[in-house]
Amino acid sequence: MSAQVTPLDDAEIQDRLRDLPGWAAEGSRLHRGYRFDRHFQGAAMVIHIAQIQEELGHHADLTLSYNRLAVAVTTHSAGSRITYLDFGLARRIEEIAAGHGAR
């Protein structure tokens, strides 16, 4: 198992979450919710996230409603545990969020 898919312990997870405001760990997932002024902004962000996921070869669960987007990330190949891969994807999502009007 590569270092990127090695499950992180609770202390490592909490330490890494300090650099990702708005994100939290619950069970075996990192998650965050975003709000938008309009539905189209959320839909555009979903497409942008899809591009990032394809680039990284790692995918999140995305749930889009009218003006909200819920993101949940876990590494299935590590027994559905939180790994470095999850934090890498969360960081990339966070980098694009403001550009889509997410808050």
Side-chain angles (χ1 to χ4, degrees):
M1 184 177 296
S2 83
Q4 289 215 335
V5 296
T6 301
L8 300 173
D9 64 35
D10 290 339
E12 291 172 308
I13 291 167
Q14 292 308 312
D15 185 52
R16 293 182 186 298
L17 281 171
R18 285 189 201 102
D19 295 330
L20 285 170
W23 286 82
E26 186 175 300
S28 63
R29 296 175 172 263
L30 293 180
H31 66 90
R32 185 173 190 325
Y34 295 98
R35 295 184 63 147
F36 304 89
D37 290 334
R38 297 184 330 268
H39 177 74
F40 185 79
Q41 292 170 299
M45 186 164 158
V46 167
I47 297 300
H48 199 164
I49 292 171
Q51 290 175 314
I52 292 167
Q53 292 176 142
E54 288 300 305
E55 176 187 323
L56 297 178
H58 190 55
H59 300 80
D61 292 328
L62 307 172
T63 305
L64 177 64
S65 60
Y66 172 69
N67 67 340
R68 295 173 191 245
L69 172 62
V71 180
V73 188
T74 191
T75 302
H76 298 288
S77 63
S80 294
R81 302 271 311 274
I82 298 170
T83 68
Y84 292 105
L85 287 175
D86 302 313
F87 278 96
L89 179 54
R91 200 167 290 108
R92 293 284 301 276
I93 292 169
E94 198 60 28
E95 288 171 358
I96 66 161
H100 290 282
R103 55 184 192 283

